[in-house]
Amino acid sequence: MPRTPGQRAGLSHDAVLTAARTVFAERGLPGLSMRSVAGALGVAPNALYSHVADKNALVDALLDDVLGALTPPAPDTDPVGGLRAVMLATFDLLAEHPDLVPLYLARQGARGPHARALGAAMVVLLARLGLDDAAAGRVVRALIVSTLGYAALATADDANLNPPELRADLEVTLDWIVRGAVS
C-alpha cells in the first residue's frame, strides 16, 4: 500500500499538534494555518492532510488534545462528586490555557474523542442519579456552558475578576445545576 505524503515526511498526528500548539502560541488563530504549521515542521502543506483535513479540523484536534489531560470520572464514583471534580478540573485546565478559552467558546466546547469520553462518563454518572439520556444531555450542556463561562471570566484581561473566587462560584453553580436536575 502506498504511503501518504504525511507518512513519507515522517510526520505523526502528535507532531502536527505539537507544531500547531507552537504556531498558535506565537501567532494566535489568525497566524495558524496549514501552511504555517507545515513551515514549522519543514514540510510541504500537503503532508499535513494525512493527519488533519483542514484548519478547522486542526483547531478541533488542538482543543481536544488539551482535554486529553483530564481523566473521565469512573462510573462507580459518587455521581455528584465526580461531576463536580471533572468540571473543576476542566476549569483549572482552561485557566492554564487562557489563549484557548475563546476557541472553546466559539466552538461551544470540543468535539473530539477526549471530549466525547468526558461527556459519556458524565452521562453515566447522571444516569446513576436517575436522569434519562435526554435530560442527562441537557445537564451536561449546562455544566459545560457554566464551566466555559467561568473560565472565560477567570482568564479575561479584567483586573477586577478574581480567579479563585470565580472557581468557588463555579463550584456552587455546579451543585445547583446537578441538584436542580435531580430534584
Side-chain angles (χ1 to χ4, degrees):
M1 174 181 289
R3 294 186 312 163
T4 65
Q7 291 168 325
R8 286 192 297 272
L11 293 181
S12 67
H13 186 73
D14 288 341
V16 172
L17 287 179
T18 298
R21 263 193 299 282
T22 301
V23 169
F24 181 79
E26 292 171 356
R27 305 178 196 176
L29 186 60
L32 181 67
S33 67
M34 299 298 273
R35 185 171 301 284
S36 64
V37 172
L41 290 165
V43 299
N46 70 326
L48 301 182
Y49 292 100
S50 300
H51 303 284
V52 290
D54 55 23
K55 180 179 176 177
N56 281 332
L58 180 63
V59 172
D60 285 342
L62 188 62
L63 294 176
D64 193 63
D65 186 56
V66 170
L67 293 180
L70 299 173
T71 302
D76 61 346
T77 194
D78 166 58
V80 174
L83 292 164
R84 181 187 308 119
V86 75
M87 294 286 62
L88 291 173
T90 301
F91 174 88
D92 294 340
L93 182 68
L94 293 174
E96 293 172 16
H97 300 279
D99 54 335
L100 294 178
V101 172
L103 294 177
Y104 282 106
L105 287 168
R107 287 177 148 57
Q108 300 173 13
R111 299 170 186 83
H114 293 96
R116 287 192 304 272
L118 289 166
M122 293 168 66
V123 167
V124 167
L125 295 180
L126 289 162
R128 289 188 47 224
L129 292 172
L131 276 66
D132 62 29
D133 284 349
R138 288 190 296 276
V139 174
V140 167
R141 278 189 296 281
L143 293 169
I144 292 169
V145 167
S146 295
T147 302
L148 283 173
Y150 277 100
L153 290 172
T155 58
D157 292 333
D158 187 337
N160 295 325
L161 300 173
N162 179 326
E165 221 172 271
L166 289 168
R167 189 181 191 280
D169 290 349
L170 172 60
E171 196 163 351
V172 171
T173 301
L174 297 172
D175 287 343
W176 286 343
I177 292 169
V178 174
R179 290 184 203 293
V182 298
S183 60

